Amino acid sequence: VQLQASGGGLVKPGDSLKLTCVASGGTFINYHVGWFRQAPGKEPEFVAGINRVGNTYHPNPMKGRFTISRDRAKTAVYLQMNSANPEDTAVYYCAAQQTTDSEPYVPRRRNEYTYWGKGTQVTVSS
């Protein structure tokens, strides 16, 4: 599956932004999907994930400001970012893992995802 992330751009501190991830030519039925980000000079960081059955996971640093969701048809996965701050500046990537798993666990490590999109740049600056 080919993933395409979009919706990035330049926003001001305090603004909101919604990123979108789509699977070219397909859907996210039978996929776990996650969002990661990588800031310059830093290691990639897990932002949020949604598993095949719809369970979501947001690590503590992201809780309250980031929300992952998907549309009912499972054609897109979204990442809502609120109260943006300069530390959110990064390239945001979506990733997917094909699965038939119905367990509640939501993958959160890079090596748990096989497919990666090219990323979309988010810059938070006044």
Side-chain angles (χ1 to χ4, degrees), residues 47-65:
V47 180
I50 184 166
N51 71 6
R52 187 182 77 88
V53 296
N55 296 316
T56 62
Y57 175 71
H58 304 78
N60 283 338
M62 311 299 175
K63 280 182 182 176
R65 292 200 304 116

Side-chain angles (χ1 to χ4, degrees), residues 23-96:
S24 297
T27 70
F28 289 121
I29 295 172
N30 293 332
Y31 283 90
H32 302 317
V33 179
W35 284 97
F36 293 77
R37 70 183 184 183
Q38 187 167 20
K42 293 188 176 181
E43 290 291 314
E45 182 179 27
F46 176 73
V47 180
I50 184 166
N51 71 6
R52 187 182 77 88
V53 296
N55 296 316
T56 62
Y57 175 71
H58 304 78
N60 283 338
M62 311 299 175
K63 280 182 182 176
R65 292 200 304 116
F66 291 89
T67 304
I68 191 169
S69 63
R70 68 185 176 199
D71 66 340
R72 186 170 292 185
K74 299 183 183 179
T75 61
V77 173
Y78 308 103
L79 182 69
Q80 176 71 43
M81 176 172 62
N82 297 325
S83 303
N85 63 63
E87 289 68 41
D88 296 323
T89 295
V91 178
Y92 285 71
Y93 299 90
C94 61

Side-chain angles (χ1 to χ4, degrees), residues 74-120:
K74 299 183 183 179
T75 61
V77 173
Y78 308 103
L79 182 69
Q80 176 71 43
M81 176 172 62
N82 297 325
S83 303
N85 63 63
E87 289 68 41
D88 296 323
T89 295
V91 178
Y92 285 71
Y93 299 90
C94 61
Q97 177 62 37
Q98 192 170 20
T99 182
T100 55
D101 189 356
S102 297
E103 295 298 317
Y105 176 75
V106 179
R108 60 205 66 179
R109 301 179 182 85
R110 282 181 290 161
N111 62 6
E112 293 179 299
Y113 292 93
T114 300
Y115 304 101
W116 291 81
K118 288 187 177 181
T120 184

